[in-house]
Amino acid sequence: MSHTFDIAVIGGGAAGCAAAVEAARLGARVALIERERLLGGASWHRGRLPARMLQAAVEARRAAGHATDDPSSVELAHLLPDLEARRCARAAQYADEVKESGALRLHARAHIVSATEIDLTSVRGAQHRIHAHVTILATGDRPRSLRGARIDHEAVLDIGSVLSAVYLPRSVVVAGASASACEMAGLLAHMGCETTLAVPGDRLLPDRDAILGETFLTAFRAAGGTVLWRHALTRAQKDGQGGAICRLTPATGGAPIDLRPDRVVVATNRKASVRGLGLSRLGVELDTFGYLPVDRQYRTLRPTIRAVGAAIGAGSSPERVRYQAVQAVRWALAPRSAATGPTQPFVDAVLGVPELASVGMAEGVLVGSITSTVIDETAGLKLVADSEHRVVGLHAWGPHAEKRLIAQAPAVQDRWTLERLSRTSGALFDRARQAAQTLLSHGSDQGGVALDPDDLLAGIVRLPNSHSAA
Amino acid sequence: MICESPIEAENSVAEERATTTTHRHTQDPEVASLVALLGRINAASPSLPPRPEVVAEVMTLLQDPRADSKRLARLVHGDPALAAQVLRVANSPAWRGRARIVTLQQAVARLGIGALQEIVLSAAIAGVYQVKGHEDLAASIWRHAIGTALFAKATARLRRRNVESAFIGGLLHSVGRPVALWELMRQIKKKRLNCTPIAVRTAVDLGHERVGMALASSWKLPDVVQSVIGHVADPVRATDHRSAVFTVAFGAEVAHRALTTDAEELIPKSPEELVPFRHSEALDLYPDQVIAILEQTPKVIAAIRAMSA
């Protein structure tokens, strides 16, 4: 067997598998290197999947009237039945796709030696070196330790370890404002846990449309949750009494607040998972947000090394990271096809009650470019259009928000005109059509700046403050 | 080249190995009759020891992160033998600081309620691991259980998993062994059977899992602990809590190595010298991570000595 590959993909999550399959489809010799036995990625196996199951459990408990039970009497395993089977099923699905594509899957840790050489260490310790003309990093992201708040997986947890606990905590402080922080805080509050969300800035879900943060806040408070605005977690540890103690320091100065919850969940900072890859030695460093900087072709400072997915701060949408992976492979192997559109819509979902979802741009993200919006409170839908009367964003909340937007996402991704949307038939477009008609009948400001379609689709534009508050 | 082994293939090899071993032993009529005796035990059997009240209380406290130290201290005070055991362990080199601990309140303040809960739970369960006439065997099972709990906890932390189920699962993973041994000795005496020690030991090896499951059900242990007890001997068969089951199985492997290998030979000089553990691969533990866990051996051995003396 040859040890030389056209493309080596490091990381076997959604992005890595998509990259490997696409590269093999284009005829390349591909190695997919994953350190874990199961393909699928830690963000799915330890975060997204159990969170989805917990969401279903929350809804079932609410329907059955158990939401106010003492949460510490609830075994988490009872809320996450068949978790292992579902993990294995997803991993097997990925494994089949990779195998059928012809890509070679390698179970090993990677260390990049030079622009074209990668050292592999198997789980048994065997060492091998492979050569690859192009390396694609799809290693995801991981929690970033906070000084003074070491995650011990006992009293101070990350999202993954809170979902692998035996029992639910009675009280919890969740630090962060991002989608994962809001998901976890919302689900725990709805399970009856006394939940405090410590938000470093003054917005929840700062990288989403403001209406989603506001909708979440209303539901979170209705479930008994408390928000501490502009408070950063500066200390967290075991309290020696079986619980945790944490210090929340106001951003504006003033006296810090000490709380003694059962558990603290640190969901405030993440960074690219690149430990052990040897990137620093090659001159590839993380940016100030903790992610790998790339250009529009997903190249790092080393042109033979590209990066996609959560490692470049692309968030948790599997569709988005798959799109990036496919594009990165095409830029590397077949640049002419790289600019073609996505095959799957990118819908960013925030699990919880209510479920939130968005596709495309948030109102006000690019100042001056968005000219008109309409909000349908009944349907839980907001439509955002640009100066050319094209649909650039849809945001939904409430039951099946994600599914609804997946159906309507082509309107954003293909940049339909409001006029086209207003004429679209089909029940799935019912409310979006009405929203478009409303916008057209009221007219819109023509003074904005048209959006770059690549920015809309690629999801790699680093927006002002999108990470700093998260 | 490092090619991924399909999980299905690995499962079938492990299953075949287990089946072959079991088949060879169950063909021995003496062993088979002893295993059959153990097979009659279920959750309602009077042969099972009752759950120690202290265990019930501590399990409740473990579920309640807000349980205060006074409640635990009161619980331990109610059992003088347990209180003495807790203070002895708290003063052992594994836990003790510079000053001697003379009261339970001091122990709580010094160790924290979490560590104290672990000590109390261990001390309370230790009684189950005492089998008259087989003290050495039962003691070795107990030492191994404590070591398993501590190494499983270290493994869970390294893998960024919640550590609470690892310790409890490790401590109780082999609880069926002493109970099976005790029951076999009772039956042998009652029926005046003439059995060789090796047959008894083999029967315990083959039948303890079922006894442990019955005990876990009778004691109403959490699901994750029941899964660990039921599948720790063959984790690939576990359908639920696989991560916890493999973590405890790996903890058991490391504990066995730590208890049977000289300290000088235990930790390899380099990852290349490391003899792979059977379950490290399933947990995706790479050699340097296994070494990091092995390096905790002196601390674990000190804790085992303190808790099993």
Side-chain angles (χ1 to χ4, degrees):
Chain A
M1 188 188 321
S2 169
H3 290 200
T4 300
F5 299 90
D6 297 313
I7 288 198
V9 181
I10 304 178
C17 290
V21 169
E22 176 69 6
R25 192 186 68 77
L26 291 172
R29 294 165 298 168
V30 186
L32 173 63
I33 305 156
E34 166 56 47
R35 54 153 296 144
E36 299 276 333
R37 179 167 295 268
L38 295 183
L39 294 181
S43 67
W44 170 261
H45 289 306
R46 297 185 56 219
R48 209 74 183 148
L49 173 63
R52 271 182 195 281
M53 295 176 74
L54 193 57
Q55 180 189 18
V58 165
E59 284 167 357
R61 280 168 62 84
R62 280 160 56 90
H66 296 311
T68 54
D69 285 356
D70 177 0
S72 67
S73 66
V74 178
E75 261 193 66
L76 258 172
H78 291 166
L79 303 176
L80 308 172
D82 306 323
L83 178 61
E84 298 289 350
R86 292 177 68 168
R87 275 182 181 144
C88 291
R90 170 59 79 101
Q93 193 182 339
Y94 276 125
D96 287 346
E97 285 172 20
V98 170
K99 190 175 178 182
E100 282 170 20
S101 75
L104 181 66
R105 178 182 157 193
L106 304 173
H107 180 200
R109 277 201 307 211
H111 177 80
I112 303 173
V113 183
S114 71
T116 56
E117 292 172 305
I118 303 171
D119 277 351
L120 303 180
T121 305
S122 80
V123 74
R124 286 171 180 257
Q127 305 266 341
H128 297 268
R129 176 166 290 184
I130 64 168
H131 300 264
H133 302 309
V134 173
T135 299
I136 295 181
L137 302 175
T139 49
D141 60 3
R142 67 199 312 270
R144 187 179 354 206
S145 291
L146 287 176
R147 189 177 295 171
R150 192 178 69 85
I151 296 169
D152 62 9
H153 305 291
E154 199 163 0
V156 185
L157 313 171
D158 64 15
I159 296 291
S161 55
V162 73
L163 291 171
S164 63
V166 180
Y167 295 96
L168 284 171
R170 272 195 196 156
S171 59
V172 64
V173 168
V174 180
S178 62
S180 57
C182 290
E183 279 177 356
M184 190 46 58
L187 290 170
L188 291 171
H190 281 93
M191 290 300 295
C193 303
E194 189 185 318
T195 308
T196 302
L197 188 54
V199 181
D202 53 9
R203 263 193 72 182
L204 289 167
L205 301 168
D207 52 352
R208 310 292 172 102
D209 194 279
I211 198 165
L212 297 185
E214 290 158 13
T215 305
F216 170 81
L217 181 61
T218 304
F220 180 63
R221 283 180 169 155
T226 306
V227 178
L228 270 176
W229 298 105
R230 297 186 178 210
H231 276 75
L233 181 72
T234 50
R235 191 182 132 206
Q237 62 186 65
K238 284 193 277 189
D239 70 349
Q241 303 287 311
I245 183 165
C246 66
R247 169 160 292 179
L248 302 167
T249 304
T252 51
I257 298 171
D258 287 335
L259 296 177
R260 298 179 76 98
D262 292 347
R263 298 289 180 260
V264 175
V265 179
V266 180
T268 182
N269 276 1
R270 297 187 75 80
K271 64 176 181 178
S273 181
V274 294
R275 194 164 56 190
L277 288 178
L279 292 177
S280 294
R281 213 166 35 77
L282 298 172
V284 178
E285 302 282 357
L286 302 184
D287 63 18
T288 51
F289 301 112
Y291 294 103
L292 285 166
V294 292
D295 65 12
R296 297 174 79 86
Q297 295 182 19
Y298 303 95
R299 287 178 298 203
T300 66
L301 289 174
R302 284 268 178 170
T304 58
I305 302 174
R306 298 177 191 240
V308 294
I312 62 169
S316 59
S317 163
E319 291 79 19
R320 171 170 289 145
V321 301
R322 276 190 210 112
Y323 172 77
Q324 291 180 351
V326 168
Q327 293 299 310
V329 166
R330 289 181 186 174
W331 280 116
L333 296 174
R336 286 182 188 172
S337 64
T340 57
T343 53
Q344 294 283 321
F346 318 139
V347 175
D348 286 310
V350 181
L351 305 175
V353 184
E355 185 182 326
L356 311 172
S358 57
V359 56
M361 288 292 178
E363 181 186 12
V365 165
L366 294 177
V367 177
S369 65
I370 308 296
T371 60
S372 47
T373 63
V374 63
I375 296 169
D376 182 338
E377 294 282 3
T378 314
L381 182 77
K382 177 175 178 178
L383 186 153
V384 183
D386 72 358
S387 58
E388 296 175 328
H389 281 204
R390 290 183 183 275
V391 182
V392 294
L394 281 168
H395 310 282
W397 55 96
H400 312 299
E402 186 181 5
K403 280 185 187 167
R404 281 190 280 140
L405 280 201
I406 286 173
Q408 297 166 8
V412 177
Q413 291 175 190
D414 297 341
R415 305 194 74 218
W416 289 9
T417 61
L418 289 173
E419 205 272 332
R420 178 180 173 189
L421 181 58
S422 70
R423 287 186 285 105
T424 305
S425 59
L428 287 171
F429 283 90
D430 195 24
R431 306 302 296 211
R433 181 173 57 244
Q434 289 175 27
Q437 287 165 351
T438 305
L439 270 185
L440 284 172
S441 64
H442 286 80
S444 60
D445 178 6
Q446 298 290 319
V449 178
L451 294 176
D452 181 338
D454 284 346
D455 288 346
L456 191 65
L457 295 173
I460 58 165
V461 180
R462 193 113 27 228
L463 302 172
N465 301 321
S466 64
H467 294 290
S468 57
Chain B
M1 182 56 64
I2 315 156
C3 284
E4 176 256 346
S5 321
I7 293 168
E8 293 75 14
E10 184 189 282
N11 285 3
S12 61
V13 170
E15 283 165 17
E16 189 184 329
R17 194 187 299 137
T19 309
T20 310
T21 311
T22 306
H23 182 67
R24 192 171 65 241
H25 286 307
T26 47
Q27 281 185 326
D28 180 335
E30 187 184 11
V31 172
S33 65
L34 292 175
V35 173
L37 285 175
L38 294 176
R40 291 179 200 153
I41 293 179
N42 58 41
S45 293
S47 308
L48 293 178
R51 180 165 72 163
E53 271 313 299
V54 174
V55 172
E57 297 263 4
V58 176
M59 294 299 276
T60 307
L61 288 176
L62 283 171
Q63 292 171 31
D64 181 0
R66 284 200 310 197
D68 63 20
S69 54
K70 285 179 191 160
R71 203 168 140 198
L72 186 65
R74 201 162 49 238
L75 180 71
V76 179
H77 264 310
D79 185 336
L82 182 62
Q85 169 79 343
V86 167
L87 285 177
R88 193 181 54 72
V89 173
N91 277 303
S92 68
W95 275 280
R96 188 183 155 184
R98 286 181 188 165
R100 181 170 176 74
I101 296 171
V102 292
T103 68
L104 286 169
Q105 282 76 10
Q106 270 183 301
V108 172
R110 179 78 53 78
L111 305 174
I113 200 168
L116 200 64
Q117 279 172 341
E118 290 174 1
I119 294 170
V120 172
L121 188 64
S122 309
I125 291 170
V128 178
Y129 282 78
Q130 289 165 4
V131 184
K132 203 174 174 184
H134 289 267
E135 287 81 0
D136 288 349
L137 176 58
S140 75
I141 295 171
W142 176 231
R143 283 195 297 273
H144 182 256
I146 300 169
T148 301
L150 295 169
F151 280 120
K153 189 174 169 181
T155 306
R157 181 164 285 145
L158 189 138
R159 297 187 67 239
R160 295 165 52 206
R161 303 297 197 277
N162 204 295
V163 300
E164 58 185 328
S165 57
F167 183 85
I168 307 170
L171 197 64
L172 292 168
H173 81 284
S174 59
V175 72
R177 282 185 182 276
V179 177
L181 182 60
W182 181 86
E183 173 64 7
L184 281 184
M185 298 320 296
R186 193 176 74 87
Q187 293 283 354
I188 287 168
K189 191 175 175 185
K190 184 179 164 189
K191 299 185 176 183
R192 298 184 179 180
L193 301 173
N194 189 14
C195 299
T196 61
I198 187 70
V200 172
R201 200 163 180 153
T202 307
V204 168
D205 281 346
L206 294 172
H208 78 90
E209 198 175 279
R210 183 188 167 88
V211 176
M213 287 295 285
L215 192 76
S217 173
S218 167
W219 286 14
K220 295 185 171 55
L221 296 175
D223 284 359
V224 60
V225 181
Q226 298 199 30
S227 288
V228 167
I229 292 172
H231 298 290
V232 70
D234 192 6
V236 291
R237 289 179 188 270
T239 51
D240 293 318
H241 309 292
R242 277 174 73 93
S243 175
V245 176
F246 269 107
T247 299
V248 172
F250 174 71
E253 281 188 281
V254 180
H256 176 74
R257 177 86 68 91
L259 288 164
T260 57
T261 309
D262 290 341
E264 300 80 43
E265 294 171 17
L266 186 64
I267 300 169
K269 306 280 185 297
S270 67
E272 291 74 33
E273 293 177 23
L274 184 71
V275 178
F277 288 85
R278 198 156 59 98
H279 299 304
S280 60
E281 287 185 58
L283 292 168
D284 291 313
L285 289 172
Y286 285 74
D288 57 314
Q289 295 174 307
V290 174
I291 290 173
I293 292 167
L294 282 172
E295 283 172 345
Q296 299 192 29
T297 299
K299 194 176 161 191
V300 171
I301 293 289
I304 292 172
R305 283 193 184 128
M307 292 164 97
S308 59

